[in-house]
């Protein structure tokens, strides 16, 4: 995992909570925010975006990742996820796979409503992602 200091992680968590305020979740009422830190030090945020056609729902993590990638980022070092419940939430399986495309060993912050967070890594959460045979990804 990259070495990120506590103030950096706290700031990323704060951005995730802020992003959560824009969640569009009228169907589940489950509001999620995410903040991605790129290797070049930029922060990109996202919130979940639901749809009447429920399967079209986009998770906060992939919205934040898409914002980063479409701004030219190709390497991310951390993602903070702010969700409900006392323990907070971790990225779903689909988001883990999507994050792994751009982040070997990135830090994952599971943000709790009490302002604390738990630190893990994307490769710990998904140690055996699909690689499509791509050697660089297989080295995760
Ligand atoms: N959701 C996320 O945004 N991120 C996750 O990691 C899991 C779930 C969203 C999708 C949907 O809008 C709502 O939470 C309930 O599943």
């Amino acid at each position: 995992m990259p070495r990120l200091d506590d103030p950096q992680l706290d700031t990323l968590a704060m951005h995730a909570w802020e992003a959560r305020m824009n969640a569009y979740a009228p169907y589940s009422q489950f509001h999620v925010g995410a903040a991605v830190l790129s290797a070049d030090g930029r922060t990109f945020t996202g919130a979940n975006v639901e749809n009447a056609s429920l399967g079209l729902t986009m998770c906060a993590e992939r919205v934040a990742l898409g914002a980063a990638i479409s701004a030219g980022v190709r390497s991310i070092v951390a993602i903070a996820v702010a969700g409900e419940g006392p323990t907070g939430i971790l990225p779903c399986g689909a988001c883990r796979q999507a994050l792994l495309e751009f982040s070997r060993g990135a830090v994952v912050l599971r943000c709790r409503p009490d302002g604390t967070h738990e630190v893990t890594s994307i490769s710990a959460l998904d140690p055996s992602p699909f690689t499509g045979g791509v050697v660089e990804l297989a080295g995760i």
Side-chain angles (χ1 to χ4, degrees), residues 1-18:
M1 277 198 278
R3 296 191 77 79
L4 297 167
D5 58 29
D6 285 343
Q8 275 179 302
L9 298 181
D10 288 343
T11 300
L12 198 65
M14 185 197 72
H15 284 300
W17 285 116
E18 275 177 12

Side-chain angles (χ1 to χ4, degrees), residues 25 28 30 32 48 50 57-61 81 89-92 95:
S28 73
F30 194 84
V32 184
N48 54 332
E50 297 188 345
T57 291
M58 295 185 282
C59 289
E61 295 92 324
V81 187
I89 60 162
L90 290 167
C92 74
C95 289

Side-chain angles (χ1 to χ4, degrees), residues 45-68:
T45 61
N48 54 332
V49 182
E50 297 188 345
N51 189 273
S53 177
L54 298 177
L56 297 181
T57 291
M58 295 185 282
C59 289
E61 295 92 324
R62 274 178 286 158
V63 173
L65 181 68

Side-chain angles (χ1 to χ4, degrees), residues 30-49:
F30 194 84
H31 295 197
V32 184
V36 161
L37 180 64
S38 64
D40 61 7
R42 290 182 285 165
T43 299
F44 299 88
T45 61
N48 54 332
V49 182

